[in-house]
């Protein structure tokens, strides 16, 4: 296995809050944890950095919950900008005061006071590009007076990161690899000119807008990011399909690496027959998951398999609409919405199959977790994820949006024990290529490569 080179490692996210942002939060925490397990920085792994302006008490509670769930090794791996923005005597910390330049607030804007009054952030209303503002961020001293300003959120974030890196180098002078998990943050970091910092930018989701075809409109946030992406030292794509389509449409001037998220399976995955188990869905109850397709298709399944059951695990904005659809369709005896589960593995170990009806994905972490537990998969053939994750078997792909084909595939799996057994074995084999070890081999090789050449910024 390629070893992580000697360096400081940082994983940067906009926020990390339990049960928020779905697979993004899960995969970001998992990457940092897996880096430590793979021996990065002698097993210390990466610091997890966030920039959301919550309270220190809220951040501490979030960290404790992640540790309790096993999603993070220890609360000490987390750092937050606004937790570190207040000085010991009140007012702003030294790093913020040092970055401040003469100036005051923009009189045309409202401001939000954070960090116990040390920082005032401009409130940008109704603009999806709020993070790009150059409106002054106000820095206050221990007396409460304005000590100066920094230029926008980007100026504040870079000032903090510069101080984080300075303190690490004071402990030991060596290069820094920053894994940026957020496009918004990545756009602001291309102006960070530290030559000994390498930025490896990850991708979590699709870059296209509806109808999600190869020539569909590009999401405006992605249009701007793709123009900047050549300045990152490497870009990690979760699937070959997305990487290849981006290169075909936008050129190959980036360092593009296929790096699926690694998902750990059980030590001894179940090989028992899944007859009688439910059809399981795991994820947010969100519009993009199209769980109404699952409910309507399952009504057709019940005509052939009256004792079948569908469990829609998760929570979200679509709960009330889905409950109404279940009642309207008359399948309440067979379709349940049990809510969140703290043990998705236990659900997958006994499920007859895993079902996904998403309109789009980045990779589909729950799908990979299903494979790791030996659960056969039925999935719409969407961009991106299922086609790549099932390339070596383990499930059935059906045409996107075809509810009858979805019902037929579910029925076939429920009624064919030999097919279930074969796909279950294929699922375990497919998952063996998507382990944390495989993901860390790829990431370690990327780190070796980016540190072997000058920063692309």
């Amino acid at each position: 296995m390629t070893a992580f080179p000697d360096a400081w490692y940082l994983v940067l996210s906009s926020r990390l809050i339990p049960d928020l942002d779905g697979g993004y939060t899960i995969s970001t925490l998992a990457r940092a944890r897996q880096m430590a397990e793979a021996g990065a920085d002698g097993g210390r792994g990466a610091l997890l950095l966030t920039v959301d302006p919550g309270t220190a008490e809220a951040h501490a509670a979030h960290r404790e919950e992640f540790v309790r769930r096993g999603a993070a090794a220890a609360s000490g791996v987390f750092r937050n900008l606004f937790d570190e923005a207040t000085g010991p005597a009140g007012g702003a910390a030294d790093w913020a005061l040092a970055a401040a330049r003469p100036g005051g607030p923009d009189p045309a804007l409202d401001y939000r006071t954070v960090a116990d009054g040390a920082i005032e952030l401009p409130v940008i209303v109704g603009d999806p590009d709020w993070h790009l503002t150059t409106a002054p961020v106000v820095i206050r001293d221990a007396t409460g007076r304005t000590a100066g300003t920094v230029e926008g959120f980007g100026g504040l974030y870079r000032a903090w990161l510069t101080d984080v890196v300075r303190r690490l180098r004071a402990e030991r002078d060596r290069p820094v690899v920053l894994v940026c998990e957020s496009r918004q943050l990545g756009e602001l970091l291309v102006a960070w000119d530290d030559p000994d910092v390498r930025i490896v930018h990850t991708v979590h989701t699709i870059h296209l807008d509806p109808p999600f075809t190869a020539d569909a409109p590009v999401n405006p946030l992605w249009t701007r990011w793709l123009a900047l992406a050549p300045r990152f030292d490497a870009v990690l794509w979760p699937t070959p399909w997305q990487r290849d389509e981006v290169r075909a449409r936008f050129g190959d001037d980036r360092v593009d690496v296929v790096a699926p998220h690694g998902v750990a399976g059980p030590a001894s995955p179940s090989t028992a027959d899944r007859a009688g188990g439910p059809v399981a869905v795991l994820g947010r109850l969100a519009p993009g998951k199209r769980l109404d397709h699952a409910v309507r298709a399952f009504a057709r399944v019940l005509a052939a398999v009256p004792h079948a059951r569908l469990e829609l695990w998760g929570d979200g904005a679509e709960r009330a609409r889905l409950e109404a659809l279940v009642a309207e369709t008359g399948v309440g005896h067979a379709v349940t919405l049990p809510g969140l589960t703290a043990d998705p593995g236990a659900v997958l170990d006994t499920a007859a199959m895993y079902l996904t009806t998403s309109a789009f994905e980045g990779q589909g972490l729950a799908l990979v977790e299903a494979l790791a537990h030996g659960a056969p998969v039925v999935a719409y053939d969407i961009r991106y994820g299922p086609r790549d994750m099932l390339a070596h078997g383990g499930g059935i792909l059906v045409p996107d949006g075809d509810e009858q084909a979805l019902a037929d595939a579910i029925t076939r799996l429920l009624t064919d024990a030999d097919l279930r057994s074969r796909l279950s074995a294929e699922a375990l084999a497919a998952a063996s290529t998507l382990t944390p070890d495989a993901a860390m081999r790829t990431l370690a090789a990327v780190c070796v490569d980016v540190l072997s050449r000058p920063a692309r910024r």
Side-chain angles (χ1 to χ4, degrees):
M1 178 174 178
T2 302
F4 280 90
D6 186 29
W8 293 109
Y9 291 94
L10 308 174
V11 172
L12 177 64
S13 171
S14 50
R15 63 188 181 190
L16 292 168
I17 298 175
D19 303 320
L20 194 65
D21 302 319
Y24 171 88
T25 299
I26 294 169
S27 60
T28 297
L29 290 167
R31 197 188 320 271
R33 189 179 67 253
Q34 291 165 13
M35 289 173 71
E37 293 168 351
D41 193 13
R44 287 187 292 183
L47 291 175
L48 276 160
L49 309 181
T50 57
V51 297
D52 65 298
T55 65
E57 292 76 17
H59 293 147
H62 299 158
R63 295 163 188 172
E64 290 171 6
E65 179 62 15
F66 286 136
V67 172
R68 187 189 68 79
R69 296 181 184 185
S75 59
V77 301
F78 293 89
R79 302 269 292 275
N80 175 269
L81 184 159
F82 295 96
D83 291 354
E84 300 185 355
T86 305
D94 288 344
W95 64 264
L97 293 170
R101 298 294 177 264
D106 184 335
L109 294 175
D110 291 329
Y111 276 76
R112 174 188 178 188
T113 300
V114 295
D116 296 327
I119 306 286
E120 291 192 7
L121 302 175
V123 178
I124 311 298
V125 178
D127 184 354
D129 298 332
W130 60 268
H131 61 292
L132 298 177
T133 184
T134 58
V137 171
V138 176
I139 311 298
R140 296 199 177 278
D141 64 20
T143 69
R145 292 192 293 257
T146 298
T149 66
V150 295
E151 188 177 279
F153 295 97
L156 182 66
Y157 298 166
R158 291 190 297 272
W160 178 57
L161 289 171
T162 296
D163 184 67
V164 169
V165 168
R166 178 191 62 78
R167 284 184 280 166
L168 291 175
R169 287 176 177 153
E171 182 179 335
R172 185 176 174 192
D173 191 9
R174 54 182 175 169
V176 175
V177 176
L178 184 145
V179 180
C180 182
E181 304 277 5
S182 162
R183 288 194 311 279
Q184 289 180 331
L185 294 178
E187 291 180 53
L188 299 174
L189 293 190
V190 292
W192 191 19
D193 58 2
D194 189 320
D196 291 322
V197 172
R198 303 294 185 275
I199 298 178
V200 175
H201 206 299
T202 68
V203 172
H204 287 263
T205 190
I206 193 169
H207 60 284
L208 302 168
D209 274 345
F212 308 118
T213 54
D215 59 352
V218 177
N219 183 287
L221 294 176
W222 277 91
T223 301
R224 189 171 56 240
W225 182 88
L226 283 163
L228 298 170
R231 297 172 66 184
F232 300 121
D233 296 291
V235 176
L236 306 186
W237 300 93
T239 66
W241 193 10
Q242 186 176 19
R243 186 273 315 267
D244 292 346
E245 289 199 336
V246 166
R247 289 173 75 86
R249 186 168 177 180
F250 302 103
D252 58 0
D253 53 347
R254 298 162 309 281
V255 179
D256 293 317
V257 180
V258 176
H261 301 289
V263 175
S268 301
S270 174
T271 57
D273 182 20
R274 295 170 176 269
V279 176
V281 175
L282 289 164
R284 289 177 296 121
L285 307 184
K289 302 301 182 181
R290 295 190 298 189
L291 295 176
D292 55 327
H293 289 225
V295 172
R296 288 193 296 268
F298 207 73
R300 301 179 185 186
V301 170
L302 289 170
V305 191
H307 300 297
R309 292 176 293 129
L310 172 65
E311 296 178 349
L312 305 176
W313 289 88
D315 212 346
E318 289 285 279
R319 171 174 285 277
R321 193 171 78 88
L322 289 168
E323 289 173 338
L325 179 61
V326 168
E328 174 189 327
T329 313
V331 295
H333 64 288
V335 179
T336 57
L337 288 83
L340 296 171
T341 175
D343 192 357
V347 174
L348 294 168
D349 280 337
T350 59
M353 71 192 74
Y354 173 76
L355 174 66
T356 175
T357 52
S358 292
F360 60 89
E361 287 286 357
Q363 175 181 337
L365 291 180
L367 188 157
V368 179
E369 189 167 6
L371 296 177
H373 284 263
V377 172
V378 172
Y380 278 149
D381 188 9
I382 57 165
R383 283 174 172 81
Y384 296 97
R387 183 186 298 186
D388 288 294
M389 300 303 107
L390 298 175
H392 302 292
I396 301 173
L397 288 176
V398 300
D400 183 21
D402 189 335
E403 293 180 14
Q404 183 60 59
L406 193 69
D408 291 344
I410 295 169
T411 300
R412 184 180 168 205
L413 255 180
L414 288 174
T415 57
D416 189 334
D418 289 341
L419 178 61
R420 281 199 310 275
S421 178
R422 175 171 65 81
L423 291 183
S424 182
E426 290 178 0
L428 294 174
S432 69
T433 67
L434 299 165
T435 62
D437 282 351
M440 291 302 102
R441 283 195 296 271
T442 299
L443 182 55
V446 168
C447 293
V448 170
D449 176 54
V450 300
L451 290 173
S452 72
R453 49 184 167 80
R456 289 172 66 90
R457 300 186 310 288

